[in-house]
């Protein structure tokens, strides 16, 4: 399942709208029922209205009634070229905490196909959530 998630996340890099940073990010979110929602980052000149790939995937899923999630794969890099691991930003971690359990998995991959796996609790201990 991890390889399928990474494949879908990588396929989203080409849809990234990142004319300011040129840093493309793709994400693939796995629901408990096996459904996968994808997302890419979408920038805005004002930066505040920009949206990360992780939040795009979460918001797509929630907008279609899904709220039970298992894992998310995230990849990214300058001009869509994966170099290093691309962990979620603080805002994305908080959004994940709103909708995911503490054992939710965050999967990252670098250019050497090395994978890092974290639980949400590891990346955001003592989170502010229900």
């Amino acid at each position: 399942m991890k390889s399928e998630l990474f494949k879908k996340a990588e396929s989203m890099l080409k849809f990234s709208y990142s004319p300011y940073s040129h840093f493309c990010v793709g994400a693939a979110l796995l629901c408990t029922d096996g459904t996968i929602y994808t997302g890419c980052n979408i920038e805005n000149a004002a930066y505040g209205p920009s949206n990360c790939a992780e939040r795009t995937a979460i918001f797509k899923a929630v907008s279609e009634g899904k709220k039970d999630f298992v894992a998310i794969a995230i990849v990214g890099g300058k001009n869509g070229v994966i170099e290093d691991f691309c962990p979620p930003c603080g805002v994305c971690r908080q959004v994940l905490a709103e909708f995911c359990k503490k054992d939710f998995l965050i999967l990252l991959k670098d250019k050497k196909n090395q994978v890092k796996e974290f639980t949400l609790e590891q990346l955001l201990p003592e989170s502010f959530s229900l």
Side-chain angles (χ1 to χ4, degrees), residues 11 23 32 47-49 57 61 67 72 78 87 90 98 101 104 113 125:
S11 75
F23 195 90
T32 55
Y47 283 111
K67 293 184 186 158
I72 192 167
K78 199 75 162 176
E98 182 70 24
K101 296 178 180 162
F104 173 82
N113 289 318

Side-chain angles (χ1 to χ4, degrees), residues 9 12-13 15-18 21 23-29 37-44 47-61 72-76 86-96:
M12 295 306 295
L13 292 172
F15 298 114
S16 169
Y17 179 75
S18 48
S21 72
F23 195 90
C24 304
V25 181
L29 175 69
Y37 287 88
T38 57
C40 64
N41 59 321
I42 303 165
E43 293 181 350
N44 187 284
Y47 283 111
S50 296
N51 204 49
C52 298
E54 302 91 306
R55 284 184 282 142
T56 299
I58 286 273
F59 295 159
K60 284 169 64 175
I72 192 167
I74 308 162
V75 295
C86 186
C89 73
V91 174
C92 287
R93 292 176 195 206
Q94 182 57 48
V95 169
L96 290 169

Side-chain angles (χ1 to χ4, degrees), residues 36-125:
I36 298 173
Y37 287 88
T38 57
C40 64
N41 59 321
I42 303 165
E43 293 181 350
N44 187 284
Y47 283 111
S50 296
N51 204 49
C52 298
E54 302 91 306
R55 284 184 282 142
T56 299
I58 286 273
F59 295 159
K60 284 169 64 175
V62 172
S63 73
E64 293 187 21
K66 304 287 184 176
K67 293 184 186 158
D68 296 311
F69 307 116
V70 177
I72 192 167
I74 308 162
V75 295
K78 199 75 162 176
N79 298 312
V81 178
I82 298 168
E83 290 290 329
D84 204 354
F85 299 104
C86 186
C89 73
V91 174
C92 287
R93 292 176 195 206
Q94 182 57 48
V95 169
L96 290 169
E98 182 70 24
F99 294 102
C100 305
K101 296 178 180 162
K102 293 180 182 202
D103 63 349
F104 173 82
L105 293 177
I106 298 162
L107 309 168
L108 311 174
K109 186 171 85 165
D110 69 4
K111 70 178 178 181
K112 296 177 184 176
N113 289 318
Q114 297 175 345
V115 173
K116 285 188 177 181
E117 185 174 308
F118 300 94
T119 64
L120 181 56
E121 174 70 14
Q122 288 173 310
L123 288 186
L124 189 62

